[in-house]
Amino acid sequence: MTASSGVAAGQRVAVGIDVGGTFTDLAALHADGTVHTTKVLSVPVDRAQGVLDALAAAELPPDRLVYIAHGTTVVTNLLLERRGSPVVACATRGFTDLLELRRQERAALYDLSRQHVAPLVSREHIVAVPERVAPGEVVEPLTEAGAAQVVDEALAMAAASGAHTIAVTLLHAYGDATHEQRLGAALREAIAARALSIDVVTSHEVLPEIREYERMATTVAEAYARPSVRRYLAGLSSRLGERGYPAPRVMTSAGGTLEAHDAVQHAAALALSGPAGGVTGAAAITRALGMARALTIDIGGTSADVGLVDDGEPLVERGGGVAGIPIALPRVLVEAVAAGGGSIAWLDDGGALRAGPESAGAAPGPAAYDRGGERPTVTDAHVVLGTIAAGEWSGGVHISRDRAVAAVARIAEPLKVSVERAAEAIIATADATMARALRRVSVERGIDPRGIPLIAFGGGGPLHACGLAERLGMRQVIVPPHAGVLSAVGLALAPERREQLTGCVVHADALGDDALAALLTDSATRLGGDSAQLATRWWLRSRFVGQGYELDIPVQPGDRVTEVTARFAARHDARVGFTLDRPVEFISVRTTRSSAPWPVQFARQPGHGALPHDRDDGRAMERTLRGAAVVRLPDATMRVAPGWTARALDVGGWLLELT
């Protein structure tokens, strides 16, 4: 739905723009807290054009914009499609096979034919560095002659392969970065002397933490994505500038934003840029309702993104991967599954019904869009069942029921069932995929989903919410205001944030209170920024000695070490149900400095209520609805299932409860 911006004279506006696989969503947050939204079709071959189209449709005066916050899928798509820049890597001699060896786990436990995805840099493009650092000592020093030899070999390899980046990952550089710094400086000096256009990326700058494989994989991912991110953001900034708009801020995977010139240097941190905005918006709704915890699901055209809000904030963890590539940087917990509205339904070789991972996207889109698509999608199934009404919809889309019926019939005929039954089965298949993802982000983290609400947003979230909640035993669903564009709202709300990781493998017993305070202060100093104007927060990555995983524990200067270890033990017990009689050790410090978030007022607009989509516009809107009902919201469709009651909330949106 395209909405006028309604910008009052002199009023300042913050804008969030989320470029999805099918739609590009814009949210304009005004200084008085009100929100106006716009939705246009994405342009798959030119994502930046979708941003420009959304701004044009919103009719926002450039001189009123404070900033544009942008969620991008550039890095995600690069990794999925393997369209990044060629990379040359430098690794400690004897450890050049690290990316191939991984952690020696199988790609699939019971499928011996399944293979891991190939590393982003091939073995023949990795240079062995004659050096070796061990914890606490230098086993083999990196000499000037050794560094010079590596420089010559790496630059020759880059010239032959067309590489634009060189990634340097030396053993134990998280603890002693001397060799990496020396080799990085030698490479940059030689690149400058030869007037080459090559970036040097070192692991101690990208991820100064233990675990050699993850550190190398993340550093290579940074090198692989950086040239494309630079081109995209430079092009977008230039095109925005031509129209008088400011250069964009870019959402990071951890839920903050960076100015475009800084984001270029943190390409790997943009891997979950778009989905993080949705969880950030859901967290704002959670706080507005006075709740502390909620599950979130954002169902768009291509995927469904599942997240968790804990203590009023998006849960941020480290680890995980994208397209089979580990990226061990802090990220908002988001699990994406291929179960969006555009996910294509099909029958496998055994005749079983599947939904996804292939998507109809924006071009041609679901068959119901009447834009050339013929294969059945989840959206087509909803149109067949009437939960999405035929007619004119958001972003200039016209929904055709006849086209949807023809598409779903391609599934119904071989299954020998009615078109309606096939549509129900398509939706149930997608729901099963999404329910498994919801269980993974909740039950596997020691959280009982039955006691918390599900916040459902995106174009399809409110349609599937009741069915998903019932599968998990949940009794409350929140459909937030601006549900269809909540990711864009979250982007506009997100603060500008800088992050610093500092390695510090140390036993808690060996770290005094003064040393802990000094460690936090040093990490903040390395981060830089104005501590008086920005809010500073710290987390200690902690574990029991001998464990293979860690938990992030909030900490601040002045905390005693015993307080931190007690906090860790309590979190560990809540997460996995037990503690160990072992010392605690700290692995690293994460420090953030954030600006104040933009104000937003989730308030009901005059006449707010619901109008079931089969009613005449002249009928009064309702504030309480009992299922079964289908409600056409301004930017989404909400289904109130039988046995559920929906009540309009004072902050906007709806609370659905199983009665």
Side-chain angles (χ1 to χ4, degrees):
M1 177 177 182
T2 301
S4 171
S5 64
V7 179
Q11 190 174 85
R12 305 291 281 168
V13 182
V15 171
I17 302 179
D18 177 38
V19 181
T22 305
F23 289 105
T24 293
D25 300 332
L26 180 149
L29 275 59
H30 299 247
D32 62 3
T34 57
V35 180
H36 290 85
T37 64
T38 302
K39 183 184 285 284
V40 299
L41 282 170
S42 295
V43 182
V45 297
D46 184 2
R47 299 291 187 185
Q49 186 60 49
V51 174
L52 300 173
D53 291 347
L55 286 166
E59 300 177 354
L60 291 167
D63 61 341
R64 297 289 185 262
L65 269 60
V66 179
Y67 59 79
I68 297 172
H70 175 38
T72 175
T73 57
V74 168
V75 176
T76 306
N77 293 338
L78 285 177
L79 296 175
L80 286 169
E81 300 169 13
R82 294 302 180 99
R83 292 187 294 103
S85 171
V87 176
V88 168
C90 301
T92 299
R93 184 167 54 193
F95 291 84
T96 52
D97 293 318
L98 200 55
L99 294 179
E100 297 283 355
L101 292 173
R102 301 173 62 95
R103 290 198 164 272
Q104 300 186 28
E105 81 280 15
R106 294 177 182 171
L109 185 59
Y110 299 111
D111 185 354
L112 300 183
S113 65
R114 184 81 62 85
Q115 299 293 319
H116 287 293
V117 299
L120 297 178
V121 58
S122 59
R123 174 64 187 82
E124 58 269 21
H125 291 151
I126 301 178
V127 180
V129 182
E131 65 86 41
R132 177 72 182 271
V133 173
E137 63 175 329
V138 175
V139 176
E140 181 181 357
L142 176 62
T143 64
E144 288 189 14
Q149 178 184 348
V150 171
V151 168
D152 289 340
E153 189 174 347
L155 293 182
M157 197 176 289
S161 64
H164 296 288
T165 47
I166 297 175
V168 180
T169 309
L170 302 183
L171 204 61
H172 297 299
Y174 61 88
D176 183 353
T178 304
H179 286 180
E180 270 200 3
Q181 291 168 342
R182 187 180 304 161
L183 181 56
L187 283 165
R188 292 183 179 108
E189 182 179 346
I191 289 168
R194 304 180 195 185
L196 301 175
S197 179
I198 297 176
D199 266 356
V200 177
V201 179
T202 58
S203 73
H204 72 275
E205 295 173 313
V206 175
L207 183 66
E209 284 193 328
I210 62 170
R211 295 192 174 89
E212 301 301 320
Y213 166 60
E214 287 78 7
R215 184 159 52 85
M216 185 173 186
T218 303
T219 304
V220 169
E222 171 71 30
Y224 184 78
R226 187 178 288 184
S228 296
V229 169
R230 177 182 288 109
R231 287 193 297 271
Y232 172 75
L233 291 180
L236 176 59
S237 298
S238 175
R239 293 165 74 176
L240 288 170
E242 291 170 358
R243 293 160 176 78
Y245 293 108
R249 292 183 185 176
V250 185
M251 173 69 88
T252 70
S253 303
T257 61
L258 290 172
E259 296 290 350
H261 58 84
D262 288 329
V264 168
Q265 303 301 316
H266 298 84
L270 309 182
L272 294 175
S273 171
V279 187
T280 301
I285 295 293
T286 304
R287 295 191 298 271
L289 294 174
M291 298 178 175
R293 181 177 282 175
L295 279 172
T296 72
I297 186 160
D298 176 7
I299 305 178
T302 305
S303 66
D305 300 324
V306 174
L308 177 66
V309 176
D310 192 26
D311 198 22
E313 297 288 343
L315 181 63
V316 175
E317 293 187 339
R318 268 174 278 186
V322 177
I325 303 301
I327 298 181
L329 295 169
R331 65 185 184 109
V332 171
L333 173 63
V334 175
E335 178 163 339
V337 291
S343 294
I344 294 172
W346 54 286
L347 301 177
D348 66 16
D349 292 340
L353 179 62
R354 308 286 187 184
E358 187 178 356
S359 173
Y369 286 10
D370 199 10
R371 296 165 59 89
E374 296 181 349
R375 301 171 69 185
T377 67
V378 175
T379 293
D380 295 315
H382 280 293
V383 175
V384 167
L385 296 176
T387 44
I388 294 179
E392 298 301 322
W393 272 84
S394 304
V397 172
H398 175 79
I399 299 292
S400 167
R401 188 176 189 278
D402 291 341
R403 295 285 187 182
V405 169
V408 175
R410 300 175 65 173
I411 292 291
E413 290 170 2
L415 292 178
K416 295 181 171 55
V417 298
S418 68
V419 172
E420 290 76 14
R421 181 69 188 91
E424 292 172 351
I426 291 170
I427 293 170
T429 301
D431 280 353
T433 300
M434 291 184 279
R436 287 193 293 270
L438 285 164
R439 290 190 184 97
R440 285 193 290 271
V441 302
S442 58
V443 176
E444 292 185 9
R445 285 167 175 77
I447 295 172
D448 187 348
R450 295 173 296 181
I452 59 177
L454 174 65
I455 300 180
F457 52 99
L463 269 177
H464 291 259
C466 290
L468 292 172
E470 289 178 2
R471 285 175 178 266
L472 275 77
M474 305 173 75
R475 304 186 66 85
Q476 282 191 333
V477 168
I478 296 167
V479 176
H482 318 293
V485 295
L486 191 68
S487 289
V489 174
L491 289 166
L493 280 172
E496 186 176 2
R497 178 181 298 154
R498 300 182 65 85
E499 303 211 5
Q500 171 69 39
L501 289 174
T502 305
C504 64
V505 182
V506 59
H507 283 210
D509 294 342
L511 188 69
D513 296 338
D514 291 341
L516 173 60
L519 181 64
L520 303 183
T521 301
D522 176 64
S523 181
T525 300
R526 294 187 187 189
L527 179 59
D530 187 351
S531 60
Q533 300 295 323
L534 304 175
T536 306
R537 300 179 67 186
W538 293 266
W539 290 263
L540 270 175
R541 196 154 170 78
S542 312
R543 67 183 184 184
F544 290 112
V545 171
Q547 282 187 316
Y549 64 92
E550 298 83 37
L551 297 176
D552 286 351
I553 307 302
V555 64
Q556 58 186 359
D559 284 351
R560 301 175 66 86
V561 174
T562 53
E563 294 172 341
V564 179
T565 56
R567 204 174 297 153
F568 163 73
R571 177 70 63 87
H572 192 282
D573 185 60
R575 174 72 176 270
V576 297
F578 66 88
T579 58
L580 297 175
D581 186 19
R582 291 185 180 181
V584 174
E585 66 178 344
F586 304 134
I587 300 304
S588 63
V589 181
R590 172 181 169 230
T591 307
T592 66
R593 280 207 167 122
S594 306
S595 63
W598 191 260
V600 65
Q601 178 183 349
F602 293 111
R604 186 167 10 97
Q605 301 298 317
H608 171 83
L611 186 67
H613 66 60
D614 57 351
R615 294 217 183 157
D616 295 332
D617 289 343
R619 296 289 296 274
M621 289 188 177
E622 301 177 14
R623 294 205 57 206
T624 302
L625 292 167
R626 295 186 182 278
V630 178
V631 180
R632 185 164 175 171
L633 303 175
D635 45 26
T637 301
M638 177 176 71
R639 175 177 176 265
V640 185
W644 289 77
T645 299
R647 176 170 55 86
L649 294 168
D650 289 338
V651 298
W654 293 83
L655 172 65
L656 283 64
E657 295 184 293
L658 184 62
T659 56

